[in-house]
């Protein structure tokens, strides 16, 4: 275990004193809470007869001790409120230990307490709680980052992304606005769920562990099932299982699914993500466009009270209807080239002419996708349905009713990013098998994202699937857009990260070999010097002052350190 900092050691000493005084710092009993900070601050100014006997709990975020009375800022799950604590109120008898010792000396910022009292307004006009009973609920052993705010300006913010994403629990405590993002995310999901349920569609669960990863073109994660002694895949999509349920007779099914794709990570992609997919019988992709427009307009209005949302600096209108444009027309619009009817070699040459990189494993579908992605997507700022994709790009999609070289598919783009993907679903089992076989040929060419052949799904189609429309939408990206978050990590509570690096610590023997006296080694560590490299790179004047200060503060019975001695440790 890493050496404790001075603050951590002080808190552990306070913990021991609390226990010694008979106070359990981690009580098991339920603490009854009957009010929240937000409710008090919202309702009390309108009716000051409310909240005259309340019980509230939360974390100490700041305090001002002024002799026999103190002010505390308490943070609960809904916000912050001021407490007024008077010694003789919480210690009505002769024993003043709870205030003089426990509250003033043994409690710290970050500790969780419960208080009972009544609400009033201070002379400064601040709604506060006058406390007459205080209970210790949890002792914090690590100090929180100190975030200060004055005149609307935040100082010493806990803002380093590495720390924020790795220690989300701290991020949520000291950056209250972060919590708002996840509240909004929950509202987005709740709004969608209500919208689907109103139509009579059923929410279902389908397998995450799959013997064949189907429903999308992506590289899967592989795991092993010990009991069955078989390799399985974490699902890349839940599409094929949901369509099996349409075969089984459901009119409409949807699922908020955790999907996994063993691919790159960037500002808008994470290997583990949430996707909502919905499938409705007897509908087509034209119907689904209107369905998506209505859904997104409702989400925006629910969250913001308007269909216009600021997304990454762009004023985006989610007011229906959205623009609709076929993919090949957009490519012609932005490149001046008509690629319809081109074979694979012609497409490869077109990519070369446009300066787009390709590799031999790419078939027609991926070559077209590369052209569209580089030359068209960045221009699609306002919501745009890109429709009628070439058949090579859509192995699960029905051929276009008017052009067999195209499919009845759309993707919705907002701010240059794909947000939703939808089809008139392919329900011809013979055509589906041929499409799977074409994907197998791409796989043999080296395309590790080509789809697997799922013969059970083909068998399901052979029993007959009604005409169906399906749609998938990324919840993480939708949340980014609806909240203005700049990175997908900002809308994931615990984003995937590389393992935490722990700094190497030089041993006492290594310090001794450099000439450091044994009694000074723990003092060096207290000063934050844990390696010989840190010692060699230290500022000698600062370290000399720090070590001298620690010797006095810790009341160490050792001779004062000579500067020449420290120089020999650093420069040896």
């Amino acid at each position: 275990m890493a050496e404790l900092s001075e603050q951590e050691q002080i808190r552990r000493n306070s913990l021991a004193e609390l226990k010694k005084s008979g106070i359990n710092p981690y009580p098991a009993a339920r603490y009854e809470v009957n009010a929240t900070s937000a409710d008090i601050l919202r309702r009390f100014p309108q009716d000051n007869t409310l909240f005259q006997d309340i019980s509230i709990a939360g974390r100490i975020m700041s305090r001002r001790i002024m002799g026999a009375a103190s002010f505390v800022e308490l943070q609960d799950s809904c916000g912050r409120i001021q407490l007024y604590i008077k010694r003789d109120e919480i210690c009505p008898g002769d024993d003043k230990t709870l205030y003089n010792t426990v509250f003033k000396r043994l409690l710290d910022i970050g500790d969780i307490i419960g208080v009972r009292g009544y609400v009033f307004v201070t002379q400064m006009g601040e709604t506060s709680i006058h406390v007459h009973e205080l209970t210790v609920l949890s002792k914090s052993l690590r100090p929180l980052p100190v975030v200060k705010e004055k005149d609307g300006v935040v100082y010493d913010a806990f803002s380093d992304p590495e720390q924020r994403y790795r220690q989300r629990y701290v991020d949520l405590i000291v950056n209250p606005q972060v919590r708002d993002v996840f509240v909004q995310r929950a509202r987005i999901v709740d709004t969608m769920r209500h919208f689907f349920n109103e139509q009579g569609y059923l929410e279902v669960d389908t397998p995450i562990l799959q013997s064949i990863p189907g429903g999308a073109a992506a590289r899967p994660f592989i795991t092993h099932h010990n009991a069955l002694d078989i390799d399985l895949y974490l699902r890349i999509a839940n599409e094929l299982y949901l369509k099996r349920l349409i075969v089984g007779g459901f009119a409409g099914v949807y699922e908020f699914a955790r999907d996994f794709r063993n691919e790159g990570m960037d500002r808008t992609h994470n290997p583990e993500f949430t996707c909502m997919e919905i499938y409705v019988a007897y509908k087509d992709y034209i119907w689904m466009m209107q369905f998506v427009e209505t859904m997104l307009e409702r989400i925006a209005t629910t969250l913001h009270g308007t269909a216009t949302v600021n997304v990454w600096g762009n004023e985006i209108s989610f007011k229906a209807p959205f623009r609709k444009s076929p993919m090949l027309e957009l490519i012609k619009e932005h490149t001046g080239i008509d690629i319809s009817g081109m074979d694979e070699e012609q497409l490869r040459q077109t990519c070369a002419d446009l300066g787009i990189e390709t590799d031999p494993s790419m078939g027609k579908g991926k070559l077209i996708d590369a052209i569209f992605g580089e030359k068209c997507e960045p221009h699609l700022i306002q919501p745009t349905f890109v429709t009628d994709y070439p058949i090579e790009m859509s192995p699960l999609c029905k051929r276009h009713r008017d052009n067999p070289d195209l499919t009845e598919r759309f993707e919705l783009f907002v701010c240059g990013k794909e947000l939703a993907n939808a089809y008139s679903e392919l329900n011809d089992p013979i055509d589906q098998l041929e499409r799977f076989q074409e994907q197998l040929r791409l796989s043999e060419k080296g395309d590790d994202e080509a789809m697997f052949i799922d013969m059970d799904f083909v068998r399901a189609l052979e029993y007959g699937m009604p005409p169906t429309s399906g749609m998938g939408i990324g919840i993480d990206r939708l949340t980014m857009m609806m909240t203005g978050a700049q990175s997908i990590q900002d809308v994931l509570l615990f984003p995937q990260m590389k393992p935490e690096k722990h700094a190497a610590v030089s041993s006492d023997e290594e310090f001794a070999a450099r000439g450091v006296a044994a009694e000074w080694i723990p003092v060096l560590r207290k000063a934050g010097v844990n390696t010989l490299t840190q010692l060699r790179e230290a500022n000698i004047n600062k370290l000399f002052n720090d070590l001298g200060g620690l010797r006095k503060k810790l009341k160490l019975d050792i001779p004062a350190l000579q500067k020449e001695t420290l120089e020999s440790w650093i420069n040896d």
Side-chain angles (χ1 to χ4, degrees):
M1 184 175 176
E3 179 128 355
L4 297 176
S5 69
E6 180 183 359
Q7 273 291 318
E8 289 172 332
Q9 188 58 61
I10 289 172
R11 287 173 180 244
R12 278 166 170 74
N13 293 342
S14 297
L15 176 73
E17 286 195 52
L18 284 170
K19 291 179 178 179
K20 188 176 179 181
S21 67
I23 294 176
N24 182 354
Y26 308 106
R30 177 182 68 180
Y31 190 84
E32 194 68 49
V33 171
N34 61 16
T36 67
S37 60
D39 199 30
I40 294 168
L41 295 174
R42 183 179 69 253
R43 296 174 60 198
F44 184 76
Q46 280 73 48
D47 184 353
N48 60 18
T49 65
L50 299 173
F51 307 112
Q52 295 308 290
D53 182 15
I54 67 161
S55 176
I56 191 170
R59 193 181 297 270
I60 297 172
M61 298 305 293
S62 68
R63 58 183 186 168
R64 287 175 289 135
I65 298 176
M66 301 176 296
S70 299
F71 288 98
V72 169
E73 186 178 36
L74 188 81
Q75 177 172 291
D76 65 4
S77 62
C78 299
R80 297 185 182 186
I81 193 167
Q82 181 172 271
L83 310 180
Y84 175 64
I85 300 177
K86 197 172 181 180
R87 181 185 61 197
D88 294 340
E89 289 278 344
I90 66 170
C91 305
D94 294 334
D95 185 358
K96 308 298 182 184
T97 303
L98 180 61
Y99 184 85
N100 291 340
T101 301
V102 174
F103 172 72
K104 290 176 66 174
R105 194 166 63 81
L106 301 182
L107 292 186
D108 295 284
I109 291 174
D111 290 351
I112 298 172
I113 60 172
V115 296
R116 291 180 63 87
Y118 62 89
V119 178
F120 75 111
V121 178
T122 67
Q123 291 181 347
M124 300 298 292
E126 184 166 355
T127 301
S128 306
I129 299 173
H130 190 121
V131 176
H132 59 70
E133 181 183 296
L134 183 150
T135 304
V136 179
L137 298 177
S138 183
K139 178 67 185 168
S140 170
L141 298 184
R142 284 180 181 264
L144 290 171
V146 178
V147 180
K148 301 174 184 176
E149 184 174 346
K150 185 176 181 181
D151 300 327
V153 179
V154 175
Y155 301 90
D156 301 319
F158 185 66
S159 57
D160 179 70
E162 171 85 9
Q163 289 183 301
R164 288 185 52 239
Y165 303 150
R166 199 177 294 283
Q167 299 181 46
R168 181 67 84 189
Y169 37 87
V170 178
D171 190 29
L172 291 166
I173 294 170
V174 301
N175 293 322
Q177 71 279 6
V178 171
R179 192 180 310 172
D180 295 339
V181 171
F182 295 100
V183 171
Q184 295 288 64
R185 179 185 175 117
R187 292 183 69 198
I188 289 169
V189 172
D190 189 55
T191 302
M192 294 173 73
R193 184 173 276 122
H194 276 87
F195 181 68
F196 301 149
N197 291 346
E198 286 170 7
Q199 319 297 319
Y201 306 140
L202 182 70
E203 184 171 8
V204 297
D205 292 309
T206 62
I208 291 176
L209 292 175
Q210 301 180 352
S211 57
I212 297 175
R219 183 186 300 122
F221 286 93
I222 303 173
T223 188
H224 187 76
H225 193 302
N226 289 334
L228 296 177
D229 194 23
I230 57 172
D231 284 341
L232 292 172
Y233 302 90
L234 298 184
R235 70 176 167 206
I236 57 176
N238 53 348
E239 175 172 344
L240 301 187
Y241 281 94
L242 292 176
K243 287 197 282 194
R244 285 173 170 92
L245 296 178
I246 296 296
V247 171
F250 288 106
V253 292
Y254 69 92
E255 181 177 14
F256 290 91
R258 295 297 275 184
D259 292 340
F260 307 84
R261 298 182 184 178
N262 198 356
E263 300 170 347
M265 301 171 64
D266 59 29
R267 187 177 69 86
T268 57
H269 292 87
N270 195 68
E272 178 183 0
F273 61 98
T274 302
C275 185
M276 190 293 306
E277 293 199 30
I278 184 168
Y279 293 83
V280 184
Y282 307 110
K283 307 297 184 185
D284 63 8
Y285 80 134
I286 297 171
W287 174 88
M288 186 61 79
M289 281 188 241
Q290 184 178 3
F291 184 81
V292 171
E293 288 171 338
T294 305
M295 178 188 74
L296 290 176
E297 185 175 347
R298 179 183 291 194
I299 292 170
T301 304
T302 299
L303 264 63
H304 303 288
T306 174
T308 300
V309 180
N310 187 294
V311 182
W312 308 327
N314 301 292
E315 289 296 315
I316 301 300
S317 174
F318 287 101
K319 182 74 175 175
F322 302 164
R323 179 192 177 192
K324 301 171 182 65
S325 183
M327 171 177 268
L328 298 186
E329 289 185 16
L330 282 169
I331 290 176
K332 186 175 181 179
E333 176 185 329
H334 292 287
T335 67
I337 301 172
D338 184 357
I339 67 168
S340 58
M342 284 188 180
D343 61 23
E344 186 174 318
E345 287 310 310
Q346 289 172 315
L347 287 168
R348 199 175 299 279
Q349 184 58 50
T350 299
C351 286
D353 294 341
L354 293 171
I356 298 171
E357 291 186 11
T358 63
D359 67 66
S361 72
M362 296 171 70
K364 286 183 65 176
K366 285 208 167 183
L367 292 169
I368 296 170
D369 193 38
I371 296 169
F372 179 77
E374 189 155 327
K375 298 300 180 180
C376 302
E377 287 183 15
H379 302 285
L380 305 177
I381 304 303
Q382 291 300 323
T384 302
F385 288 119
V386 179
T387 66
D388 305 343
Y389 281 52
I391 196 164
E392 295 83 3
M393 299 180 67
S394 310
L396 298 168
C397 187
K398 184 172 286 190
R399 291 177 189 268
H400 197 283
R401 64 196 73 179
D402 299 321
N403 184 343
D405 293 330
L406 302 177
T407 57
E408 297 203 346
R409 174 186 180 186
F410 73 75
E411 285 185 301
L412 174 63
F413 284 85
V414 180
C415 285
K417 298 294 182 182
E418 176 205 340
L419 180 58
N421 186 21
Y423 307 157
S424 293
E425 300 295 337
L426 179 59
N427 60 344
D428 179 340
I430 296 173
D431 191 359
Q432 179 65 84
L433 181 57
E434 290 173 354
R435 306 268 198 101
F436 277 149
Q437 289 168 339
E438 174 59 26
Q439 288 289 301
L440 181 60
R441 285 190 285 273
L442 290 174
S443 178
E444 290 168 350
K445 285 177 62 176
D447 186 348
D448 58 3
E449 293 184 350
M451 289 191 187
F452 290 59
I453 296 181
D454 188 338
M455 292 306 300
D456 179 70
F457 177 66
V458 174
R459 178 170 59 190
L461 291 184
E462 289 173 345
Y463 282 98
M465 184 175 85
T468 298
S469 183
M471 183 271 293
I473 186 166
I475 299 301
D476 308 317
R477 192 170 296 178
L478 176 60
T479 304
M480 287 179 64
M481 292 181 177
M482 288 295 175
T483 64
Q486 295 295 317
S487 168
I488 195 170
Q489 283 83 9
D490 291 326
V491 300
L492 301 173
L493 280 168
F494 300 102
Q496 190 65 48
M497 302 185 72
K498 290 182 179 179
E500 190 170 3
K501 292 182 179 179
H502 296 282
V505 176
S506 299
S507 66
D508 288 1
E509 290 75 14
E510 289 173 302
F511 277 110
R514 194 170 179 81
V516 180
E519 63 268 22
W520 280 101
I521 293 174
V523 189
L524 275 173
R525 296 195 191 282
K526 289 285 186 186
V529 179
N530 288 298
T531 67
L532 295 182
T533 300
Q534 290 173 327
L535 181 60
R536 285 192 297 268
E537 296 175 353
N539 179 303
I540 189 168
N541 292 322
K542 181 178 185 305
L543 184 57
F544 180 72
N545 290 331
D546 288 348
L547 294 176
L550 283 168
R551 173 178 170 271
K552 293 179 180 178
K553 187 172 184 178
L554 300 174
K555 299 179 181 179
L556 299 175
D557 187 20
I558 56 177
L561 181 66
Q562 300 301 309
K563 199 167 188 178
E564 295 76 13
T565 302
L566 179 58
E567 287 177 343
S568 71
W569 298 348
I570 292 175
N571 300 320
D572 185 19

